[in-house]
Amino acid sequence: LQAKYAPLLKRYLQAGEAKENTELQLHALDAIQLYIHTISFPRNLAYNLFVELEEMGIVSAEGFNHWHKFGLEQQGHGVIRRSLKQFFRELGSNDDSDNLLL
């Protein structure tokens, strides 16, 4: 992802209430999952994309977790979830450290 697209993505994926945003983010992550499945899961592509989406603040931790649990697109969901174990571990530890600061 290029930083120049971040404002556009944020505009559409964070357009409403938190619950609406979570659903919008779920659909975006489903689309990414399907695309990665279609191109045969290039090594580290899912991880790198998810890290960038998180670092740029485009998809929230809630959005990632919602997709992880309730992703609608089934093609490749198991494979991509396995390839993202480290990402979700890191996301969980980031949430834990954020809670310690409150």
Side-chain angles (χ1 to χ4, degrees):
L1 279 174
Q2 294 182 359
K4 67 182 179 180
Y5 297 117
L8 178 66
L9 291 170
K10 282 182 184 180
R11 179 178 179 184
Y12 288 102
L13 298 179
Q14 299 177 4
E17 300 292 321
K19 183 175 178 154
E20 291 172 4
N21 292 346
T22 301
E23 287 300 314
L24 291 171
Q25 293 169 13
L26 175 132
H27 292 293
L29 295 172
D30 272 345
I32 290 170
Q33 170 194 318
L34 184 59
Y35 175 70
I36 291 172
H37 171 75
T38 302
I39 61 172
S40 301
F41 302 99
R43 184 180 174 118
N44 295 323
L45 179 60
Y47 178 83
N48 291 334
L49 280 172
F50 276 52
V51 166
E52 283 194 56
L53 290 169
E54 195 268 333
E55 286 178 351
M56 291 181 175
I58 296 169
V59 176
S60 66
E62 294 82 14
F64 285 118
N65 288 322
H66 188 66
W67 169 83
H68 191 265
K69 293 176 187 170
F70 304 110
L72 302 173
E73 179 57 54
Q74 293 304 306
Q75 281 190 309
H77 193 69
V79 175
I80 201 168
R81 282 180 59 190
R82 282 190 299 278
S83 72
L84 291 168
K85 282 183 180 181
Q86 181 62 34
F87 172 80
F88 282 99
R89 264 188 242 120
E90 293 167 1
L91 189 66
S93 68
N94 288 343
D95 287 348
D96 292 344
S97 65
D98 287 347
N99 291 336
L100 294 175
L101 297 175
L102 295 177

